[in-house]
Amino acid sequence: MKHDKHGPPDSRAISRRAFIKGAGAIAATTGLIRTPPASADAAPDAQDGIVERIGPGAQTIELKINGEVKRVTVEPRVTLLRALRDHLNLTGTKLVCDRGACGACTVHLDGKPVTSCMVLALDARGHEITTIEGLLTPDRMSPLGAAFVEHDAAQCGFCTPGMMMSMAAALASNPKAQLEDVKRAVAGNICRCGTYPHVFAAALSVVRGGNRGES
Amino acid sequence: MSRRVTLNLGFQGHLEPVTVVIPDDEPTPWLFGERFQIVGKPTPRVDGALRVTGAARYTYDISMPGMLYGAILRSPIPHARIKSVDLSSARRLGGVRAAIRMDDTVVRFAGQEVAAVAAIDYETALDALGLIKVEYEPLPFVAELDAAMKPGAPPVFESGSNVQRPTVNEHGDVTRGIAEAAAVHEAVYLTPVQTHVSLEVHGSVARWDGDELTVWSSSQGIFTVRDDLAVYFNLPHSKVRVVCEYLGGGFGSKFGAKPETVIAARLARQANAPVKVMCTREGEHLATGNRPDAIQKVRLGAGHDGKLTVLELVQHGSGGIGSGSGSAGPFLSLYHCPNLRTEETNVFMNTGPSSPMRAPGWPQGCFALELAMDELARKLALDRLEFRRLNNPNPVRALEFDIGAELYRMEGKERRAQIHGSVKTRNRRRLRGLACARSVGSASPRDRPSRRPRRGSDGHPGHRHRHANDPRDGRGGGAGRRTLAHRLPSRRHALSIFGSLGRKHDHAVHHAGGSPGRGAS
Ligand code: FES
Ligand code: FES
């Protein structure tokens, strides 16, 4: 079974390419990952963009998540999404397509929304990671969260945390967002239940209610 | 003890008093036009905050101490005999705790489950899949509907033809109906396969405690999952418990214990540890169900008076290796026609089995029938809505047509739209259509809430628990019930929603009253 992970990450700040070069471009093929690449004996080559050689085994890294430093031991191929869900029990971030197509796994990296299935956990080191749990909780609702509930913007709710992350980032950078803006904000978030109109209404109600600093 | 109650039954403008006998412990059914404190008023979902904050725990989110991660090896070949499956290297890989092969010796579609493993993490499980050696002997296959129908097509099952015996419904005489028609419309309508694409994939977490099995399953039907597992593992119902608290979509595809759930339970038994098996998105598309495609040949005729004289459907569809591709429902129930014939034929092919999807068969059938109705109205120079009214046998639907027409008119340019089809409104390029469908809603009795009083888990006698198969899939029925339960004046009612409780009699049901989803019509 191939585990196909291609396509660029959302954020230019995160270079997954650097890792793939370093690991001999085998990261996408499961089953081979434990074998050192044939080219691994080549010396690190700064000109080739290789700054660090990591793996293939698990190693302990530090990630700054929701303001706290967390230590997690993962193999280089583990995505930020899997690290959050499987290793840190932060399951509000959902796994749906695992290939950057649906937006359900959206988190903020230094305040920008990225699909965490397309970011390796290793590459998230040194960045401020915010997950849905860091954005709001049932006891600490944000205005946008309350608006989502009020406008019934979640049906099954599986896409909803991702929607929330995308929308929160959009409103933070554009507090005067209009319909077209909020539509664009979740253009990369798939909702199979069809909650979009309610999501738009929720977001616009926050805009109209005065910018109460959503993020 | 029971009591007699007189109810006003029927619908707007057609109400009749009916006297019924109701057991004393049942509430009086709602009356037409009755006003309520809660029902009919907007109210936020009870669990809205849990959903929007990511705090709601779906099956995919469940973890427990010692839980292993499972992964499924699927056949890359659409039709093959499995000569051997070698699990030994997979078993030897560090971190692997269980490895199994499926019972089948033949795979009949690409994506069919062949083997599975459980390991300490997902990545190790994937590595182990790569170490499984399967020897396939490929067999001829067919994976397209028209090809599968041809004589001499590779048979999907050894037992015979891919084309199954048709289901025929017939009354009157189609030939006569054609002869009597002033205008006839004849066409072939094609619809493609569609997959459900629930955002949460199919899957389960299984745990054995001795000979008792608990399964957390991404399911719309916890009781059907329990029943299937009880059969598969030869256990009494009391030993199987199935739980689904939040469901990330199902759309009809998540009933019963499907292979991934059985796999989770088998791996858990072998590993003696809880195992989570969730499908990959690819596996989800290939193997967990779809809405079948269809080729529908339709003949429709009517007289100058606008009355249908003939309605005919000859339909072929493929449920892959499964069946259930029929689409005649709308043809059999929307309009009155003296000469009617439908013929539905399921065709096997080497693709994943179909599963129910949002009114099985109806979207395909309505698509064909309603387009054909429009075409025939045009040929007869009749208003499309009027044409439907002329052939409508149902007084409730007549009322609904009036309501629909009113709404339709409110948006302007409606007459032209009704006669000429789609229009472009001034500001937006919006296409308009008009079509008729029918809801066939009826939950299976076991899926309705049980109202059997039992002792509350908090030990207080006399609490009334309602056991419902009611996963939080977000459609609102469950939210409605929970809203009511939360607001009931006394705490004598509690709601037990998420779990099948094992004992067979727990889903005994009484039909009266109950769900707010069931209105007066
Ligand atoms: S799971 Fe990451 S984009 Fe779909
Ligand atoms: S609410 Fe179900 S997918 Fe969006």
Side-chain angles (χ1 to χ4, degrees), chain B residues 85 88 98 114 158-159 189 200 212 383:
Chain B
V85 179
S88 55
V114 174
E158 294 74 14
S159 51
Y189 297 91
E200 184 184 31
E212 293 193 1
D383 177 276

Side-chain angles (χ1 to χ4, degrees), chain B residues 147-338:
Chain B
M149 283 158 58
K150 293 217 173 84
V156 173
F157 293 97
E158 294 74 14
S159 51
S161 164
N162 295 333
V163 180
Q164 293 183 270
R165 193 195 305 274
T167 304
V168 176
N169 279 287
E170 184 160 32
H171 64 252
D173 177 356
V174 167
T175 316
R176 191 175 66 220
I178 296 284
E180 285 171 7
V184 174
H185 170 70
E186 188 170 349
V188 179
Y189 297 91
L190 308 177
T191 50
V193 171
Q194 292 173 290
T195 48
H196 299 75
V197 203
S198 305
L199 257 62
E200 184 184 31
V201 289
H202 284 65
S204 291
V205 180
R207 187 183 74 200
W208 292 88
D209 300 289
D211 64 345
E212 293 193 1
L213 173 62
T214 303
V215 170
W216 291 260
S217 189
S218 180
S219 174
Q220 294 172 265
I222 50 178
F223 292 111
T224 59
V225 176
R226 180 198 59 181
D227 294 354
D228 288 352
L229 288 172
V231 169
Y232 187 90
F233 290 104
N234 195 20
L235 291 167
H237 285 78
S238 59
K239 300 278 188 195
V240 186
R241 182 163 183 263
V242 181
V243 184
C244 179
E245 187 167 1
Y246 288 92
L247 177 63
F251 308 108
S253 69
K254 289 181 177 168
F255 288 93
K258 293 194 175 181
E260 56 282 351
T261 296
V262 172
I263 286 168
R266 285 183 61 191
L267 289 170
R269 194 165 58 175
Q270 191 179 94
N272 199 19
V275 174
K276 171 151 76 175
V277 175
M278 301 302 292
C279 289
T280 60
R281 183 53 57 184
E282 183 188 24
E284 182 81 6
H285 279 298
L286 291 173
T288 64
N290 56 66
R291 170 181 285 156
D293 52 1
I295 300 174
Q296 298 176 85
K297 253 182 93 181
V298 175
R299 267 206 302 183
L300 224 62
H304 285 299
D305 59 357
K307 299 266 194 188
L308 287 169
T309 59
V310 63
L311 241 177
E312 187 187 37
L313 167 71
V314 178
Q315 179 262 3
H316 290 83
S318 179
I321 62 159
S323 56
S325 66
S327 66
F331 291 81
L332 296 171
S333 64
L334 284 183
Y335 302 111
H336 175 75
C337 181

Side-chain angles (χ1 to χ4, degrees), chain A residues 1 31 34 77 82 85-86 89 91-92 94-96 132 137-138 141 152 154-159 190 192, chain B residues 45 48 51 53-54 57-58 60-61 69 72 122-124 127 196-197 199-200 247 251 281 357 473-474:
Chain A
M1 189 184 308
R34 293 196 164 185
R77 62 175 150 164
R82 288 261 177 203
R85 292 179 51 82
D86 293 356
N89 202 21
T91 56
K94 301 302 179 200
L95 194 163
V96 169
I132 184 80
T137 67
M141 290 295 269
D152 202 20
Q155 275 196 48
C156 80
F158 213 73
C159 70
I190 290 173
R192 178 73 174 85
Chain B
R45 284 174 199 269
R51 286 176 200 271
T53 58
R57 284 252 163 181
Y58 296 76
Y60 211 149
D61 303 332
Y69 293 79
I72 299 171
Y122 182 66
E123 290 72 28
T124 306
D127 288 349
H196 299 75
V197 203
L199 257 62
E200 184 184 31
L247 177 63
F251 308 108
R281 183 53 57 184
M357 182 175 187
D473 63 357

Side-chain angles (χ1 to χ4, degrees), chain A residues 142-144 146-147 150 175 205-215:
Chain A
S142 66
L144 185 61
E150 194 183 316
S205 81
V206 171
V207 172
R208 277 193 301 271
N211 173 25
R212 278 177 280 178
E214 177 53 46
S215 68

